[in-house]
Amino acid sequence: MGPVSYESQDIRTKRIPFGEYLFKKLVQSGSKSIFGVPGDYNLPLLEHLYDDSVKDIGCRWIACCNELNAAYAADGYSRYTNKLATLITTYGVGELSAINGVAGSSAENVKVLHIVGVVKSDAPECNYHHLIPQLQHSNFIGPNRKICYDMVKDRVACSAEYLEDIETAPEKVDKVITEIYKHSKPGYLFVPADFADKLVDTTCLNNEINLCNSIERTPSEKLDSIVDGVLQWIYQSQTPAILADGNVDRFGLISQLNQFIERTQMVNFTTIMGKSIIDETNPRYQGLYAGKSCTDLVRSKFLSCDLILHFGVEKNEVNYCAQGFPYGPQAKVIEFHQSYIRLFDTLNGDEQLFENVNFVDVLTALHQRIDISKLNLQYDKAIFTTYEPSQLNLPEEDTSDVTQIYLQKKFPEILAPGDILVSDTGSFQFGVRDYKLPTQSKFMAQSTWLSIGMGLPAALGVGIGMQDYPRIHICDQSKVPAGYKPKLVLGVGDGAAQMTVQELTTMLRYHVDINVFVWNNNGYTIERAIMGENSDYNDIMPWRWTKLFEAFGDFDGKYSNSSLVKTRQELDQKIEDINKGGKGIELVEVKLGVMDYPAQLQMMLSNMKNAKK
Amino acid sequence: MGPVSYESQDIRTKRIPFGEYLFKKLVQSGSKSIFGVPGDYNLPLLEHLYDDSVKDIGCRWIACCNELNAAYAADGYSRYTNKLATLITTYGVGELSAINGVAGSSAENVKVLHIVGVVKSDAPECNYHHLIPQLQHSNFIGPNRKICYDMVKDRVACSAEYLEDIETAPEKVDKVITEIYKHSKPGYLFVPADFADKLVDTTCLNNEINLCNSIERTPSEKLDSIVDGVLQWIYQSQTPAILADGNVDRFGLISQLNQFIERTQMVNFTTIMGKSIIDETNPRYQGLYAGKSCTDLVRSKFLSCDLILHFGVEKNEVNYCAQGFPYGPQAKVIEFHQSYIRLFDTLNGDEQLFENVNFVDVLTALHQRIDISKLNLQYDKAIFTTYEPSQLNLPEEDTSDVTQIYLQKKFPEILAPGDILVSDTGSFQFGVRDYKLPTQSKFMAQSTWLSIGMGLPAALGVGIGMQDYPRIHICDQSKVPAGYKPKLVLGVGDGAAQMTVQELTTMLRYHVDINVFVWNNNGYTIERAIMGENSDYNDIMPWRWTKLFEAFGDFDGKYSNSSLVKTRQELDQKIEDINKGGKGIELVEVKLGVMDYPAQLQMMLSNMKNAKK
């Protein structure tokens, strides 16, 4: 073919409305479903959802009841798909309602794009509705239409653009999406209401943005020298251990890490944030390590290892920092992070730090270069037995009531290979730490942002993600029967559920199949565990949870089934029924004791208290 | 008595825990009820709610279902009482959930103190849970515990203090509360968890902070010269008009302004934000003026006035700015604002601006100095007739359905003297503009922040305020029968109600007597009026509203009554029943047409569209 003529280039770069462009770009970048709430500043944009070319690529709107819930749902969508999730709100009122959800995505490295419809680009200065007054020394100094942009930039957003020039708008969109994937943190786009219908160049649609092409690559020379150092330590080690942390998931390395485990046969642990990244049915899985806040058995195993390969490290108070995160006295440690690789020797304090390196490249190179025959693994098989929850030695209880101890024993039975468990922030999530999850299953909860109420809307987002990308979380499809449609299970405390309860109706609306377990312990048990056991600020109103779906739109119980569980026998039966195949939505209210919470929570709280002294 | 000895001074300044100090100060400043949600960083503070000395002064906790709702409730409490309202949340997750509500208080000049429990003052640097990562050029640069303080300062907060020194903490508290009253905008206090139990000096408890002593006083010389100018214009005028705007309420001048009207017998109008400030039963009341967005009749009366005394002026897009706010061609205008007085002559453009002057002093001085005998009122009585809604000439409709037109005719009958009407953001509030409200009644709605969903929790806050300060909104108690307990009425659209619906349970919990009218028009009618009449993003799930209280805690209908109204006859009967005295809570679902919205909304939208061209 000869050189491209100007004419054909003109055809290739035909101009389309920015709204149409944006939705095409979003779908191309992973967001088939868009979460949000309409508002006057975003309506012209939302109208482009009905463009044939947008409908044709399967783009759909998920109308949430409010913006915070929409933000949580978007967060859940991205946690499940590991792709870009998109949230659309309106200026001020909508964007600020959502900000706590987006801040959680920032703290927990979730890829959420928050698009905010703002005032028309050519509108004169005015104190517009939905606009916060800009103050200086307490006095109003005139309208600042970028006031929310100023608030989120470098705080909850790793990238933020307030669009001002329609010609460069497509590039700005690409920039923000690329940075979201690169940093695995939220980004913001502020889109003036008049931009939706303005024509833009479509050239940028030729560049698909995804995780792979967004990460900054490590120069090969630097990479070689790092891998040399890592391999040297691995070959010297007799008891190396792999520690899987949250960012392994965020940077798309679950499959690769599990393959690395299988090839090397190294023993392996998970962190709190890394829970479910490792296939826990692998015979060398040793449990969840959380410094001082895990079982003695897991800790003693971890401390006996002479090399820790910590992949996807995330250092926050809960996962790592304030509670103390000890290593064995002679251990070497390698931290594999998305922006650095750090080798340090706890014995002599030697340290090598390689900055501006992404562990994605390093793990890939490690895979390619490792010589299995040079491994020198000498694990004591009496110590490194296969992980079984029975090692927890949970006490027998003389009661027919459902307790957290009973839940820890029984509840894992609801999960089959490939299933998804979401937990809201609360006491329940602590027991899950020591579950042995089935292969290919996925667990989702917040580990450091810990916003109460996030679970229910996040599970909605997960359910939508499961509709858009069925089984995408399964790395090894051969391990889940071909015809099996993975189950979505949510555990949520009653206090948390009251915060965001209306999103149950959205589950109905979009036919999200889900099993919702409401832990009815009469208030904020997680707070009572900290302080105020009998203080009425920790009480909530008692609800008749089983009546909710009738009010919320399933008038004749066609799509949902609600039940109350008070005894172990009833719980067993419920789990059995659900495993046989329940209705689309099963809501199960489970009565628990007011001060019944898992030992894992008690342990963490004691350690945090001691750490802060 | 002799000089105070050191010993007695020591007794006077006895030290008490900061938590106890804070709650005493809050009650002293007007916040008898405190709204919020517990979280680990605020629990030590909340424990001081149970100090005998705190309970003794009637301080109580109002536990809301989530933080945004708590912020709306605090806003409602302050709107009703015109006193400080207080909201307590926890670091990050709680404070950001609430921020939209507080931003609304900022935009609409409401006195809300937002207290945020934060990490202990002596805690080492760490990526604490609930802490947003601080970024720079997209990269994490270490924890910044003041990150939310940085976000709100000079944006949603007129005053913000992150407490770092326990010795100065009481003064900082006083400073923030004083500035809240001074500017009538929200303030923030970030309180480290360890401060609650530390001892502080009680000297500051001797200084009660309220509206009167917080306002900056105008020097008497300056005041005299301003009042001279104002009086000169008043005495020259033949057709002066008083225009009452929102800040008259916020700065506590309702009673004074109504007295000024009664003394001078000037004709008077209200703005949108000023609705219900003027006693609309006064014979010279002329209706609501909203520039181009009001009835022709009201506008023609307003434009015929030769002097406009605009008290409590608030210039935002809806109330004043973008829609155009014409005056008569030869009118003189005086703007009375909390930070300036401006006299201008529309005929020749002459203008005098007095800055750093509060209209509170000016109105007081005007009252004292005006010589009624020098007034030269020459109103044409044929033009300035007493305002009657019949002047709207609402069309007759041949239907038994409830319509917005019918609501406008019928719904005012639910209001007796002293009653309170709260409207959520939505189509219903536009019809209220042209109601003739009973004497001593109060109407509350957002006029520029316009956050959908605010009404229901705000009404909760109003109801709590009515319990704490019964009849405080009534300026002239003689006009409301002594034994009458004013009624609280809420009008809320179905889409708005779904956003914050769980706060119905809090109304039950605290026995808030209220009449909740849910306008069921099948989605976001106010958005449909703007765009997307048939777009499904404006749809919501249909609910069985009358089932809600059964799920939300009133299991046997002891405290609430829910009913469905489909026809005019049913509505008439319901209003009659409620006026005879209903249950504590009456929830009435009223079916309305999907595209039925008041003409006032249509008019405003057209004018906004034209203004932006």
Side-chain angles (χ1 to χ4, degrees), chain A residues 47 50 66 97 100 127 129-130 135 138 158 315 317 321 449 498-499 502 505 535-537 543-544 551, chain B residues 47 50 66 97 100 126-127 129-130 138 158 315 317 449 498-499 502 505 535-537 543-544 551:
Chain A
E47 281 298 307
Y50 306 98
N66 67 39
S97 289
N100 170 44
N127 301 321
H129 67 287
H130 304 345
L135 309 175
S138 309
C158 77
K315 297 187 177 181
E317 185 191 21
C321 176
W449 190 245
Q498 287 194 357
M499 292 192 154
Q502 50 272 84
T505 202
S535 300
D536 61 5
Y537 61 72
W543 280 13
R544 197 158 279 171
Chain B
E47 281 299 308
Y50 306 100
N66 67 41
S97 289
N100 171 44
C126 173
N127 301 321
H129 67 286
H130 303 346
S138 309
C158 78
K315 298 187 176 180
E317 183 191 24
W449 190 247
Q498 288 194 356
M499 291 192 154
Q502 51 272 83
T505 202
S535 300
D536 59 6
Y537 61 72
W543 280 12
R544 196 158 281 171

Side-chain angles (χ1 to χ4, degrees), chain A residues 504-505 508 544-562 585 587, chain B residues 541-552 589:
Chain A
L504 290 173
T505 202
L508 270 178
R544 197 158 279 171
W545 294 91
T546 51
K547 285 276 177 189
L548 284 173
F549 275 110
E550 196 183 336
F552 285 177
D554 194 23
F555 305 133
D556 46 10
K558 214 164 149 185
Y559 193 72
S560 71
N561 183 41
S562 297
I585 297 179
L587 183 143
Chain B
M541 277 290 282
W543 280 12
R544 196 158 281 171
W545 294 90
T546 51
K547 285 277 176 188
L548 283 174
F549 274 111
E550 196 183 335
F552 284 177
E589 175 189 350

Side-chain angles (χ1 to χ4, degrees), chain A residues 60-324:
Chain A
R60 64 171 172 163
W61 178 250
I62 304 298
C64 294
C65 294
N66 67 39
E67 290 89 351
L68 177 57
N69 295 356
Y72 286 142
D75 180 280
Y77 186 88
S78 179
R79 281 179 197 256
Y80 169 74
T81 61
N82 199 27
K83 294 177 185 292
L84 184 81
T86 303
L87 160 72
I88 300 184
T89 69
T90 196
Y91 219 18
V93 292
E95 67 182 300
L96 291 181
S97 289
I99 198 171
N100 170 44
V102 184
S105 302
S106 182
E108 307 229 334
N109 302 338
V110 182
K111 301 166 192 76
V112 172
L113 171 62
H114 188 180
I115 296 174
V116 182
V118 303
V119 68
K120 288 181 183 185
S121 60
D122 59 352
E125 284 311 319
C126 175
N127 301 321
Y128 288 104
H129 67 287
H130 304 345
L131 186 58
I132 304 170
Q134 176 78 62
L135 309 175
Q136 198 175 52
H137 310 306
S138 309
N139 292 305
F140 178 59
I141 54 163
N144 166 16
R145 66 180 66 184
K146 290 166 102 175
I147 191 165
C148 286
Y149 165 85
D150 294 339
M151 286 170 77
V152 299
K153 196 171 183 308
D154 277 337
R155 296 198 183 96
V156 303
C158 77
S159 184
E161 293 288 341
Y162 190 109
L163 301 182
E164 293 177 293
D165 175 1
I166 191 64
E167 289 306 321
T168 59
E171 292 156 39
K172 297 271 170 100
V173 170
D174 278 26
K175 174 175 172 275
V176 172
I177 296 175
T178 302
E179 292 192 336
I180 290 171
Y181 270 116
K182 180 178 164 189
H183 300 282
S184 200
K185 284 199 184 286
Y188 273 72
L189 275 172
F190 296 84
V191 180
D194 57 328
F195 273 23
D197 297 334
K198 287 190 195 286
L199 298 181
V200 296
D201 191 292
T202 56
T203 313
C204 286
L205 283 178
N206 298 325
N207 319 321
E208 186 187 315
I209 308 171
N210 56 40
L211 188 57
C212 287
N213 62 25
S214 301
I215 293 168
E216 214 154 310
R217 292 296 160 188
T218 312
S220 61
E221 231 168 89
K222 198 172 184 179
L223 189 60
D224 286 347
S225 109
I226 294 169
V227 175
D228 286 346
V230 171
L231 284 176
Q232 196 186 353
W233 280 19
I234 288 177
Y235 296 149
Q236 284 169 357
S237 166
Q238 297 184 336
T239 51
I242 286 166
L243 179 62
D245 210 341
N247 292 316
V248 169
D249 185 6
R250 304 292 192 265
F251 288 89
L253 296 175
I254 293 186
S255 181
Q256 212 163 7
L257 186 67
N258 278 291
Q259 284 166 25
F260 190 70
I261 287 170
E262 208 178 329
R263 271 185 74 200
T264 61
Q265 289 293 304
M266 287 182 195
V267 301
N268 47 87
F269 300 82
T270 180
T271 62
I272 294 164
M273 196 174 164
K275 182 72 185 172
S276 88
I277 286 173
I278 290 175
D279 184 338
E280 299 182 0
T281 63
N282 90 72
R284 298 275 169 114
Y285 177 63
Q286 301 299 320
L288 183 142
Y289 182 65
K292 293 176 182 165
S293 298
C294 61
T295 65
D296 292 342
L297 183 65
V298 172
R299 187 164 50 253
S300 71
K301 289 179 180 186
F302 185 86
L303 294 180
S304 79
C305 295
D306 66 3
L307 174 65
I308 306 297
L309 303 172
H310 189 165
F311 287 97
V313 56
E314 183 63 33
K315 297 187 177 181
N316 60 56
E317 185 191 21
V318 178
N319 200 48
Y320 183 95
C321 176
Q323 59 181 331

Side-chain angles (χ1 to χ4, degrees), chain B residues 262-410:
Chain B
E262 208 177 329
R263 272 185 73 200
T264 61
Q265 290 292 305
M266 289 183 194
V267 301
N268 46 87
F269 300 82
T270 180
T271 63
I272 294 164
M273 196 173 162
K275 181 73 185 171
S276 88
I277 286 173
I278 291 175
D279 185 337
E280 299 183 359
T281 63
N282 90 71
R284 298 274 169 115
Y285 177 64
Q286 301 299 320
L288 183 142
Y289 182 65
K292 294 177 181 165
S293 298
C294 62
T295 65
D296 292 342
L297 183 65
V298 173
R299 186 165 49 253
S300 74
K301 289 180 179 184
F302 185 87
L303 294 180
S304 80
C305 294
D306 65 5
L307 174 65
I308 306 297
L309 304 171
H310 189 164
F311 288 98
V313 56
E314 182 64 32
K315 298 187 176 180
N316 61 55
E317 183 191 24
V318 177
N319 200 48
Y320 183 95
C321 176
Q323 59 182 332
F325 202 86
Y327 303 100
Q330 304 192 13
K332 290 177 168 132
V333 179
I334 308 180
E335 292 173 354
F336 298 84
H337 185 265
Q338 58 269 29
S339 68
Y340 66 87
I341 308 289
R342 179 170 170 247
L343 295 84
F344 66 97
D345 189 329
T346 54
L347 185 62
N348 56 27
D350 284 355
E351 174 174 333
Q352 280 178 282
L353 179 66
F354 302 90
E355 289 185 292
N356 304 315
V357 183
N358 194 313
F359 77 119
V360 174
D361 292 323
V362 179
L363 181 57
T364 307
L366 211 52
H367 239 311
Q368 289 163 348
R369 291 190 44 200
I370 195 164
D371 179 349
I372 300 298
S373 69
K374 289 191 183 164
L375 293 179
N376 184 25
L377 308 186
Q378 298 184 26
Y379 300 114
D380 182 334
K381 285 192 175 163
I383 296 174
F384 292 102
T385 53
T386 298
Y387 179 76
E388 291 301 339
S390 60
Q391 293 166 349
L392 294 170
N393 294 319
L394 291 170
E396 289 303 315
E397 298 170 302
D398 185 21
T399 173
S400 60
D401 295 346
V402 182
T403 62
Q404 289 283 355
I405 285 172
Y406 188 70
L407 277 184
Q408 185 145 353
K409 291 179 188 171
K410 183 70 192 179

Side-chain angles (χ1 to χ4, degrees), chain B residues 483-496:
Chain B
Y484 184 70
K485 188 182 163 214
K487 219 169 33 249
L488 174 57
V489 179
L490 165 68
V492 52
D494 54 353

Side-chain angles (χ1 to χ4, degrees), chain B residues 81-364:
Chain B
T81 61
N82 200 27
K83 294 180 186 290
L84 184 81
T86 303
L87 161 72
I88 301 184
T89 68
T90 196
Y91 219 21
V93 292
E95 68 181 301
L96 291 181
S97 289
I99 198 170
N100 171 44
V102 184
S105 302
S106 181
E108 306 229 336
N109 302 338
V110 182
K111 300 164 192 76
V112 171
L113 171 62
H114 187 179
I115 296 174
V116 182
V118 303
V119 68
K120 289 182 180 182
S121 60
D122 58 353
E125 284 309 319
C126 173
N127 301 321
Y128 287 105
H129 67 286
H130 303 346
L131 185 59
I132 305 170
Q134 176 77 63
L135 311 174
Q136 198 176 52
H137 310 308
S138 309
N139 291 307
F140 178 58
I141 54 163
N144 166 16
R145 66 180 66 185
K146 291 167 101 175
I147 191 164
C148 286
Y149 165 85
D150 294 339
M151 285 170 79
V152 299
K153 194 171 186 308
D154 276 338
R155 296 199 182 96
V156 304
C158 78
S159 185
E161 293 289 342
Y162 190 110
L163 301 183
E164 291 177 294
D165 176 1
I166 191 64
E167 289 306 321
T168 59
E171 293 156 39
K172 296 274 170 98
V173 171
D174 277 26
K175 175 175 173 274
V176 171
I177 296 174
T178 302
E179 293 192 336
I180 290 170
Y181 270 115
K182 181 178 167 190
H183 299 283
S184 200
K185 285 200 185 283
Y188 273 71
L189 276 173
F190 295 85
V191 180
D194 57 329
F195 274 23
D197 297 335
K198 287 189 195 287
L199 298 181
V200 296
D201 191 292
T202 55
T203 313
C204 286
L205 284 178
N206 298 327
N207 318 321
E208 186 185 317
I209 308 169
N210 56 39
L211 188 57
C212 286
N213 61 23
S214 301
I215 292 167
E216 213 154 311
R217 293 293 160 192
T218 312
S220 61
E221 229 166 274
K222 198 170 183 180
L223 190 61
D224 286 346
S225 110
I226 295 169
V227 175
D228 286 347
V230 172
L231 284 175
Q232 195 185 355
W233 279 19
I234 288 177
Y235 296 148
Q236 285 169 357
S237 166
Q238 297 185 338
T239 51
I242 286 165
L243 179 61
D245 210 341
N247 292 317
V248 169
D249 185 6
R250 304 292 192 266
F251 288 89
L253 295 174
I254 293 186
S255 179
Q256 212 163 8
L257 186 67
N258 278 291
Q259 284 166 24
F260 191 70
I261 288 170
E262 208 177 329
R263 272 185 73 200
T264 61
Q265 290 292 305
M266 289 183 194
V267 301
N268 46 87
F269 300 82
T270 180
T271 63
I272 294 164
M273 196 173 162
K275 181 73 185 171
S276 88
I277 286 173
I278 291 175
D279 185 337
E280 299 183 359
T281 63
N282 90 71
R284 298 274 169 115
Y285 177 64
Q286 301 299 320
L288 183 142
Y289 182 65
K292 294 177 181 165
S293 298
C294 62
T295 65
D296 292 342
L297 183 65
V298 173
R299 186 165 49 253
S300 74
K301 289 180 179 184
F302 185 87
L303 294 180
S304 80
C305 294
D306 65 5
L307 174 65
I308 306 297
L309 304 171
H310 189 164
F311 288 98
V313 56
E314 182 64 32
K315 298 187 176 180
N316 61 55
E317 183 191 24
V318 177
N319 200 48
Y320 183 95
C321 176
Q323 59 182 332
F325 202 86
Y327 303 100
Q330 304 192 13
K332 290 177 168 132
V333 179
I334 308 180
E335 292 173 354
F336 298 84
H337 185 265
Q338 58 269 29
S339 68
Y340 66 87
I341 308 289
R342 179 170 170 247
L343 295 84
F344 66 97
D345 189 329
T346 54
L347 185 62
N348 56 27
D350 284 355
E351 174 174 333
Q352 280 178 282
L353 179 66
F354 302 90
E355 289 185 292
N356 304 315
V357 183
N358 194 313
F359 77 119
V360 174
D361 292 323
V362 179
L363 181 57
T364 307

